[in-house]
Amino acid sequence: MSFDLDLTKRIGETEIRCRIEAEDGLTVLFGPSGAGKTTVLNMVAGLVKPDAGHIRVGGETLWDGAIDVPVDERRAGYVFQEARLFPHLRVFANLRYGHRDEGASLGVDETIAFLGIAHLLDRWPRTLSGGEAKRVAIGRALLSSPRFLLLDEPLSSLDRARREEIMGVIERLRDEVRLPILMVTHDRAEAERLATRIVEI
């Protein structure tokens, strides 16, 4: 599945321009903070409207000015920079939130095993480490039956050991689950290790 993005968006005095043509694999949007990388993800997810251009994923037009596919129909698995888990739900309930069986790459049990989080299922989000919370957030995104994943700085605010743990998860998502991934980072080493291709913005 390919990403075909041609996006223009003005926010205040800043104009964001992004052109991406990428085939399967993991595409990294690389650049400094404030360059508009997260805004690009938000446009692909449908949370922000571009001013001009188009968004096509797997040959399907999600936005082009005339077409604007609703957020819940785009089937983007979005992992935000902060884990954004529901504090009033235990881990298992967080995973099940928004779960769709139809078209899922992995079932609930497979996802739990893939991410190594079986021991966390009865825990409250506030008791999780940063790496544990990130794995649960990735699990929740996978269980929404996404056609593609959007990862916004998934390694930020993690210590070295947790960063290595989550990088391993992302590599397995890229190589084993094989969902197309669009990921934001400002870390060159992360980009070079994880990316199938790097787009500078």
Side-chain angles (χ1 to χ4, degrees):
M1 183 184 292
S2 60
F3 290 104
D4 176 3
L5 313 177
D6 185 2
L7 300 169
T8 302
K9 179 69 178 178
R10 179 171 289 280
I11 299 177
E13 297 298 310
T14 303
E15 185 171 71
I16 299 163
R17 291 181 177 273
C18 181
R19 182 78 181 98
I20 298 173
E21 291 187 46
E23 296 300 323
D24 291 350
L26 192 154
T27 301
V28 164
L29 286 180
F30 175 78
S33 296
K37 303 183 301 297
T38 296
T39 301
V40 171
L41 290 195
N42 287 337
M43 287 190 279
V44 176
L47 303 175
V48 172
K49 274 191 173 49
D51 294 333
H54 63 256
I55 300 167
R56 298 187 187 108
V57 181
E60 178 186 352
T61 299
L62 303 182
W63 188 89
D64 67 0
I67 295 169
D68 186 8
V69 175
V71 173
D72 61 333
E73 293 178 23
R74 296 192 183 199
R75 289 181 54 197
Y78 201 150
V79 179
F80 296 91
Q81 190 167 340
E82 312 81 27
R84 296 197 184 185
L85 302 179
F86 297 111
H88 62 291
L89 298 177
R90 293 182 190 267
V91 165
F92 187 68
N94 265 283
L95 288 170
R96 295 282 302 184
Y97 185 85
H99 172 231
R100 298 182 189 178
D101 282 316
E102 184 181 347
S105 298
L106 299 172
V108 175
D109 292 342
E110 291 173 295
T111 298
I112 290 167
F114 177 84
L115 295 168
I117 55 177
H119 63 295
L120 303 176
L121 299 181
D122 289 330
R123 300 257 302 270
W124 296 102
R126 67 179 176 274
T127 71
L128 302 177
S129 70
E132 289 169 341
K134 194 67 74 171
R135 278 189 286 159
V136 174
I138 291 170
R140 187 172 62 184
L142 287 174
L143 288 171
S144 69
S145 186
R147 295 173 62 231
F148 57 94
L149 292 177
L150 304 173
L151 307 180
D152 188 7
E153 297 278 8
L155 304 167
S156 65
S157 305
L158 299 178
D159 62 33
R160 180 175 293 181
R162 301 291 81 77
R163 282 163 58 92
E164 188 63 32
E165 169 191 316
I166 299 305
M167 274 208 266
V169 169
I170 293 169
E171 287 172 326
R172 292 185 66 206
L173 287 172
R174 180 194 65 201
D175 299 338
E176 296 175 29
V177 180
R178 302 182 68 81
L179 280 170
I181 301 171
L182 189 60
M183 173 179 150
V184 159
T185 184
H186 62 267
D187 185 298
R188 172 68 73 175
E190 287 176 16
E192 290 178 350
R193 173 170 165 179
L194 296 171
T196 308
R197 70 200 53 77
I198 298 173
V199 177
E200 299 212 21
I201 185 172

